[in-house]
Amino acid sequence: MGQMNRRTVRDLRRGNRSTLLRQLYFQGPVSRQELGALTGLSSGSVSNVVGELLADGLVEEAGSVESDGGRPRTLLRVAPGSGHLIGVDVGETHVRVELFDLTLTELARWEHPLTPGGLEREPEPVVGHILTGLDAVVAKSGAEPGKVIGVGVGVPGVVEQGDEALVHGPTAGRDAVPLERLLRTGTELPLFIDNGATAQGQAEMWFGAGRGADNAVIALIGSGVGAAIVTAGMPYRGATSSAGEWGHTVVQVGGRACRCGAVGCLEAYVGAQAVLDRYGRRAGGVYGGAEEDAAAAGAGAGAGAGVGACLGAGEDQQAAFAAIVGAAGTEARAREVLEETAAYLGAGIADLINLFNPERIILGGWAGLLLGGRMLPRIRAATAAYALHRPYAQTEIGLAELGPDAVALGAATLPLAHFLATGRAR
């Protein structure tokens, strides 16, 4: 019985520590008195736990404010330099590694481009790039490895959480890649691996366009298409963590071939490469096959010279996509493709609204921000045409606020969430 009581007291103190740390992180700087009001904890509990956090160096004083007739109240905040977080974005065109302080101020960045379809996109080379990036950002920032709270890794595909994280990438033809085990051969830092869209979604909910919402969908549109679904303030993962593969819902029966092996998927119409392919083919031509490959290879024939030169010269996918968006104001073919893309995207968003009844739909990812920046009114109109009237009227559709590089930031929130839940840096 005594052992049970000791365990209960320890768990209670750990819970109080986590509760206070979360309030200090998201609401700070605040005073001890305000912490009591925010958490419902007694003044004695607040004083004891704050004393521990100050002694551990996780919290620091941040000035003072006048009180009503009494002594000034000391303000407290989480100490930015008390720990570091690393976020890794394993995209389809790059591996990006960023190191942040505890308040998510970026201190160092490393990036390596990936050749589409190249061998360096295989698991082993990607792991090598990640490990190189980890060493590079730690060295560049001067951070002590022992103060790195953890490494969050955002990846495309389904991440199966269990004794170890396994990554399933159907669009790349990979199944059950033991990414955590592979990374563990080169680093002892704590690892947290999740889907990139889920990671971006958490960042937008905490710090971006999702703040204040309990039910939202945060879309990630780039080379691929995914979504983070948040219900009652919590991410919805499904039975086996594969929820959010929005890009592989069907918008056209018997439609374009998708990289996942199915046909008619949303990704095959609104993903960045799909848009480039449709721009390159003849209007009214047949999707897929050798005709489309040839059209894409010589993309821009008969189109605006700027876009055609960009595509034909083999420039990177992001530059080519941006060129199409930029040309839509003056070139008929670019405008036609973006109008068509907005219509398909609206149909896909309508499915989300009808299924999940969210307060907000947030468009993110580098391609989503480019497309939404130009076509948001058209996307909203298309969504209204396909969604049920009442839930559509109650849903805001807008753009993500954390920028096109938000997956790395979101990945850094994975170890941050663990830190806030446990109340300890390591």
Side-chain angles (χ1 to χ4, degrees):
M1 179 67 71
Q3 186 177 18
M4 182 180 296
N5 288 338
R6 285 197 298 273
R7 187 163 57 245
T8 300
V9 169
R10 185 169 61 247
D11 290 344
L12 180 61
R13 291 183 68 85
R14 184 184 298 119
N16 289 347
R17 186 180 174 102
S18 173
T19 297
L20 286 174
L21 198 58
R22 287 185 66 87
Q23 291 298 332
L24 283 165
Y25 191 88
F26 291 108
Q27 305 296 332
V30 292
S31 67
R32 289 173 175 80
Q33 291 82 353
E34 289 171 311
L35 281 173
L38 288 168
T39 63
L41 296 176
S42 68
S43 59
S45 294
V46 170
S47 179
N48 289 336
V49 175
V50 166
E52 292 177 5
L53 293 172
L54 285 166
D56 292 344
L58 298 179
V59 168
E60 64 185 15
E61 295 183 354
S64 62
V65 292
E66 296 295 329
S67 61
D68 295 333
R71 297 172 57 187
R73 294 180 177 180
T74 300
L75 297 178
L76 304 166
R77 68 177 182 183
V78 171
S82 60
H84 296 93
L85 305 160
I86 297 178
V88 180
D89 173 11
V90 180
E92 300 201 29
T93 59
H94 62 260
V95 174
R96 180 180 296 122
V97 182
E98 299 179 35
L99 184 142
F100 305 86
D101 69 14
L102 203 53
T103 57
L104 291 176
T105 298
E106 183 184 312
L107 303 179
R109 172 186 293 221
W110 178 92
E111 184 167 347
H112 181 84
L114 298 177
T115 304
L119 291 177
E120 65 175 349
R121 290 185 60 203
E122 294 297 315
E124 289 76 11
V126 167
V127 166
H129 296 320
I130 294 173
L131 294 175
T132 298
L134 295 182
D135 290 340
V137 296
V138 169
K140 184 177 181 180
S141 66
E144 298 177 26
K147 293 184 70 174
V148 176
I149 292 171
V151 179
V153 185
V155 298
V158 175
V159 179
E160 181 182 347
Q161 305 288 353
D163 293 336
E164 63 174 343
L166 302 176
V167 180
H168 305 270
T171 60
R174 302 190 187 102
D175 188 51
V177 175
L179 181 59
E180 183 176 359
R181 190 192 318 161
L182 293 172
L183 287 170
R184 187 54 64 209
T185 63
T187 183
E188 296 181 355
L189 295 173
L191 296 171
F192 303 84
I193 301 172
D194 212 333
N195 173 268
T198 301
Q200 176 201 250
Q202 180 161 275
E204 286 289 342
M205 292 298 293
W206 285 7
F207 309 110
R211 285 173 296 181
D214 288 326
N215 298 277
V217 179
I218 304 93
L220 176 63
I221 304 174
S223 301
V225 176
I229 301 163
V230 178
T231 61
M234 298 296 293
Y236 176 73
R237 295 182 177 275
T240 58
S241 298
S242 68
E245 291 296 322
W246 175 50
H248 301 292
T249 56
V250 175
V251 293
Q252 178 67 62
V253 174
R256 298 187 80 219
C258 181
R259 298 180 301 165
C260 72
V263 295
C265 293
L266 179 66
E267 183 178 301
Y269 292 90
V270 307
Q273 189 58 52
V275 174
L276 299 181
D277 291 346
R278 293 205 324 279
Y279 177 85
R281 72 177 176 84
R282 290 182 292 108
V286 178
Y287 288 117
E291 179 180 349
E292 184 173 333
D293 292 340
V307 182
C310 183
L311 291 168
E315 293 292 335
D316 67 65
Q317 191 181 72
Q318 295 190 27
F321 191 92
I324 292 176
V325 173
T330 57
E331 187 210 303
R333 179 62 186 148
R335 184 165 52 253
E336 175 190 0
V337 169
L338 291 193
E339 288 281 346
E340 183 182 58
T341 302
Y344 279 114
L345 183 54
I349 293 173
D351 288 341
L352 294 174
I353 291 174
N354 292 344
L355 282 169
F356 298 106
N357 186 210
E359 300 164 66
R360 298 176 197 170
I361 300 283
I362 299 164
L363 299 181
W366 63 265
L369 290 171
L370 283 169
L371 184 63
R374 175 118 200 157
M375 304 294 292
L376 190 57
R378 178 71 183 91
I379 293 168
R380 287 171 173 158
T383 303
Y386 292 106
L388 294 171
H389 173 71
R390 181 167 177 77
Y392 170 77
Q394 297 171 326
T395 304
E396 300 175 16
I397 302 174
L399 301 181
E401 295 179 355
L402 300 180
D405 298 343
V407 172
L409 179 67
T413 70
L414 302 177
L416 174 60
H418 178 76
F419 165 70
L420 295 176
T422 62
R424 298 193 178 278
R426 290 289 287 268

